[in-house]
Amino acid sequence: MDNWNAISFDLMQGLSNLEELKIENCGGIQEVIKLEGLLTIKGEQQDLLLPRLKKMFLIDLHELRCIWKGATKLINLNNLEDLIVIRCKKLTRLFTPALTQSLQKLKFLEIERCDELEHLIVENVEEQVSLESHLQPLCFPKLENVIVSYCNKLKSLFPMTIADNLLELRIFIVKKNPQLMEVFTLEGDAGVQKDVTLPQLQLMGLKGLPSLVNFCPKNYQFRLPKWGQLRVESCKNMRTSFTRTPYRSVLINGEVAQIDEPTGTSTISPVLTICPANNDITWRIDDYDDPTRKTLRFEDELLWEQNYGYEDDELA
């Protein structure tokens, strides 16, 4: 749908076979999916909406406040794989906790130039599921690619409850979000020391984040065993340390254990540790340097170059 001056779409209830939805340049749209009043004449709840939807693209919807209005438990997004939201400048929220729990197949998430967006996941007063709920963990078990850029009011990306479940994440690009303070955040007491492994992450870039203080809470250590390229640039207030280890891993907020000389075993020291508050990072491992490392997929390399291989001023 392109250049249609509607305020909202009330047709979703009948689109049970819809697999791809693209809405572009519809300047009056304030919400895409209106969930209020979805009851049959007999008062029974309708079937859940959009059970087969795989791709959703929302582009240049300048009046869009929210994608879904009402109780999002009425939506079935179990098959959604790609979500792209670009230049929706008045969008204030993206996911609710209940909606997040249904996104079991989401692979690709791109958010760009959404000026009013402060957090990706915001609690909905109409739902009982909260960010701190332990009934079912918030997770994106199939998420492979995350690109979040030019969101001027964004404060944080993900709660720490999601980090343990990002088992398929391969590309992570966060750039030009001037108010972003933390990538992974934790409400309340930080608790005990905890390690988090992102087992498939190969390409990560953090760029142009002047307010970023921490990648994650201080008591968390992230391990990237398959990293191929890491770039951290223009994050002048960041306190998190990044460590390259002798066994070709990267630790975020962590240190490599030392072996004392008196034991007869030589000391192992980290290859390099940098705190980006004073230094940018451009680290890369080529495939020929490590034959055990899987070669990057062509589509991953192309995506990385498209989103990190050019000067951002070209798109300003």
Side-chain angles (χ1 to χ4, degrees), residues 12-24:
M12 301 299 177
Q13 198 163 350
L15 300 177
S16 59
N17 292 320
L18 186 68
E19 293 187 4
E20 184 172 327
L21 173 64
K22 182 177 182 180
I23 305 174
E24 186 172 5

Side-chain angles (χ1 to χ4, degrees), residues 109-274:
L109 176 64
E110 180 176 1
I111 312 297
E112 179 183 331
R113 299 184 188 274
C114 295
D115 292 344
E116 295 296 320
L117 190 66
E118 294 188 13
H119 304 282
L120 299 190
I121 303 174
V122 178
E123 293 184 23
N124 188 342
V125 295
E126 300 177 38
E127 299 172 349
Q128 299 301 314
V129 180
S130 71
L131 292 175
E132 301 302 318
S133 172
H134 299 288
L135 297 179
Q136 185 176 351
L138 303 179
C139 63
F140 297 108
K142 300 296 183 181
L143 190 60
E144 295 184 3
N145 303 313
V146 174
I147 303 168
V148 182
S149 59
Y150 298 96
C151 295
N152 291 334
K153 291 187 178 181
L154 191 66
K155 300 293 194 303
S156 64
L157 259 64
F158 296 120
M160 278 302 310
T161 50
I162 283 179
D164 276 326
N165 297 289
L166 296 175
L167 302 179
E168 299 296 328
L169 187 63
R170 302 172 67 90
I171 299 177
F172 191 54
I173 298 173
V174 184
K175 65 179 185 181
K176 301 291 184 176
N177 302 297
Q179 295 191 41
L180 187 74
M181 299 182 67
E182 264 188 332
V183 177
F184 292 92
T185 187
L186 182 67
E187 297 290 338
D189 187 11
V192 299
Q193 178 77 30
K194 186 175 181 180
D195 289 352
V196 176
T197 299
L198 301 179
Q200 301 300 328
L201 187 63
Q202 293 183 295
L203 302 171
M204 186 170 83
L206 306 173
K207 183 175 183 178
L209 308 172
S211 299
L212 187 65
V213 177
N214 297 311
F215 181 83
C216 59
K218 293 181 179 180
N219 63 311
Y220 281 81
Q221 172 181 281
F222 276 69
R223 185 180 297 274
L224 315 181
K226 288 189 178 180
W227 75 282
Q229 188 167 171
L230 172 66
R231 296 179 66 178
V232 182
E233 303 172 67
S234 301
C235 300
K236 62 182 180 180
N237 288 309
M238 185 182 248
R239 300 172 186 168
T240 300
S241 64
F242 293 76
T243 302
R244 292 173 64 180
T245 73
Y247 38 91
R248 296 193 183 279
S249 183
V250 163
L251 300 182
I252 303 176
N253 239 15
E255 298 178 353
V256 177
Q258 305 293 311
I259 299 177
D260 293 332
E261 290 289 351
T263 63
T265 306
S266 60
T267 301
I268 297 177
S269 59
V271 174
L272 184 61
T273 299
I274 289 182

